[in-house]
Amino acid sequence: MIKKAIIPAAGLGTRVLPASKALPKEMLPIVDKPAIQYIVEEAVNAGITDILIITNRGKGVIEDHFDHSIELEAMLEKRGNTEVLKELQRVAKLANIYYIRQRETKGLGDAVLRAKEFVGDEPFAVLYGDDVIIGDTPAIGELCDAYEKYGKSIVGIKEVSDEFVVKYCSLKVEKLEEKNYAVSDMIEKPKLNEKFSNYAILGRCVLDSEIFNILENTPLGAGGELQLTDAMAVIAREKGMVGVDFSGKRYDMGNKFGILQANIEVGIKHPEISEQLRQYIKELAQKL
Ligand code: UTP
């Protein structure tokens, strides 16, 4: 049973500036919750109890969000606003959450390497801080189940268009069963003539702790950064990995369009605003 997860959230978020200048992009809301809360809840719903969030300068508000706010709670109690009070208290108790800083923004691989001591010698889950996945079952739980089944490191995958393959990565895959694929190689940000397939990793993986030794010996890759994909490619080639085409829908909160999509799609299902938003979209659509 996988109990530990890490959430790298130390990126610069340059694609959503100026929104992400003083506010971490992981704190951008989807209706009424910051993106990172959806991610922590996904991990908790998959049975994960200990979460390390990798932050950097200016991301202290993430720590505040998962902490008690004594003044706010006292005020809500005084006003008898028990529903919101209970929700805030629930958020502050979601999991054992730890924080570490990535001192220099040297890439996702370097961010993951900061978790070496926290993880120790067990398999662990990685949930990228700007990838929110909404579904009936927690996506990371589907990956953890696959880890138990195959005993190999797992990546969450989806088929994407060429436009995104060159921005993300490309996997060499062969179908195993249902939504599971054997992954024997991968390349970060390939040119189109270098791609293996249109399957890319989207925001989730379950890795064996051997990844840390590999990362320590991986040269800087695309963009002059230490790329997690380059280290995972070593495992894929040597031992093989398994790709799970998870069932939920993923929203890229590091991207302007992804933020809007998430807000609209979550909004139309949100009990408080569903009706109002549906009506509004219908009226608006007639004018488009
Ligand atoms: P991105 O590739 O989205 O990079 O990172 P970014 O720097 O955050 O965003 P842009 O491209 O400048 O807009 C994917 C995930 O890895 C984390 C990010 O926080 C995000 O969750 N990351 C990236 C780190 O933790 N450290 C890094 O050095 C780079």
Side-chain angles (χ1 to χ4, degrees):
M1 189 76 183
I2 288 157
K3 290 281 166 204
K4 287 182 182 171
I6 68 167
I7 303 179
L12 297 178
T14 54
R15 287 168 295 149
V16 285
L17 281 170
S20 54
K21 187 180 174 196
L23 179 75
K25 65 176 169 178
E26 297 79 10
M27 288 299 290
L28 291 171
I30 303 177
V31 186
D32 54 2
K33 285 197 287 192
I36 197 161
Q37 188 181 328
Y38 289 87
I39 297 171
V40 167
E41 285 174 349
E42 177 192 327
V44 170
N45 289 337
I48 283 162
T49 53
D50 291 77
I51 299 173
L52 177 74
I53 302 180
I54 297 137
T55 65
N56 59 3
R57 281 177 299 282
K59 302 222 177 183
V61 288
I62 297 178
E63 295 183 38
D64 294 341
H65 183 73
F66 293 107
D67 195 1
H68 284 288
S69 169
I70 304 299
E71 298 86 343
L72 200 53
E73 287 177 24
M75 192 270 285
L76 289 168
E77 182 144 34
K78 206 168 135 197
R79 290 191 185 168
N81 198 343
T82 41
E83 219 169 289
V84 183
L85 174 64
K86 271 195 201 143
E87 176 60 10
L88 290 195
Q89 288 171 335
R90 184 187 70 84
V91 173
K93 289 197 189 94
L94 273 173
N96 302 318
I97 304 185
Y98 307 86
Y99 301 88
I100 192 164
R101 282 192 182 202
Q102 182 189 19
R103 292 198 187 90
E104 286 176 78
T105 313
K106 292 198 286 195
L108 179 58
D110 180 76
V112 170
L113 204 41
R114 300 304 111 218
K116 187 179 176 185
E117 304 299 321
F118 168 79
V119 167
D121 196 19
E122 36 183 311
F124 65 104
V126 186
L127 300 94
Y128 301 7
D130 56 356
D131 277 326
V132 170
I133 300 176
I134 309 274
D136 294 334
T137 47
I140 199 66
E142 294 176 3
L143 270 67
C144 291
D145 290 347
Y147 181 87
E148 304 293 337
K149 180 169 182 183
Y150 297 101
K152 289 186 175 188
S153 289
I154 311 287
V155 279
I157 64 171
K158 288 264 174 217
E159 219 167 356
V160 299
S161 64
D162 282 348
E163 183 198 347
F164 290 103
V165 164
V166 296
K167 288 182 190 160
Y168 301 160
C169 65
S170 169
L171 307 181
K172 193 171 180 180
V173 293
E174 217 171 291
K175 189 160 179 166
L176 285 170
E177 53 182 340
E178 291 165 14
K179 293 182 137 207
N180 301 338
Y181 295 77
V183 177
S184 54
D185 207 348
M186 60 181 76
I187 176 169
E188 176 75 13
K189 297 189 176 55
K191 297 197 178 73
L192 273 183
N193 62 0
E194 295 171 324
K195 75 171 183 182
F196 293 116
S197 75
N198 279 62
Y199 278 99
I201 301 170
L202 291 189
R204 301 288 180 270
C205 34
V206 173
L207 299 170
D208 276 315
S209 57
E210 65 181 334
I211 194 76
F212 297 114
N213 280 339
I214 300 172
L215 276 168
E216 280 166 342
N217 293 296
T218 299
L220 300 183
E225 295 190 333
L226 184 55
Q227 296 290 351
L228 180 61
T229 309
D230 292 344
M232 290 195 292
V234 174
I235 302 180
R237 288 193 288 262
E238 285 178 3
K239 296 186 174 168
M241 291 178 82
V242 172
V244 174
D245 188 345
F246 52 81
S247 56
K249 177 150 185 199
R250 169 256 189 189
Y251 300 96
D252 181 1
M253 292 297 288
N255 170 297
K256 293 175 184 122
F257 188 65
I259 296 167
L260 289 174
Q261 266 183 314
N263 274 284
I264 293 168
E265 294 183 24
V266 173
I268 56 175
K269 290 190 186 147
H270 192 289
E272 263 174 62
I273 56 163
S274 171
E275 271 317 303
Q276 201 182 357
L277 183 61
R278 277 167 201 267
Q279 195 55 37
Y280 171 70
I281 292 171
K282 282 180 198 159
E283 283 167 19
L284 188 66
Q286 285 172 357
K287 294 185 206 150
L288 297 178

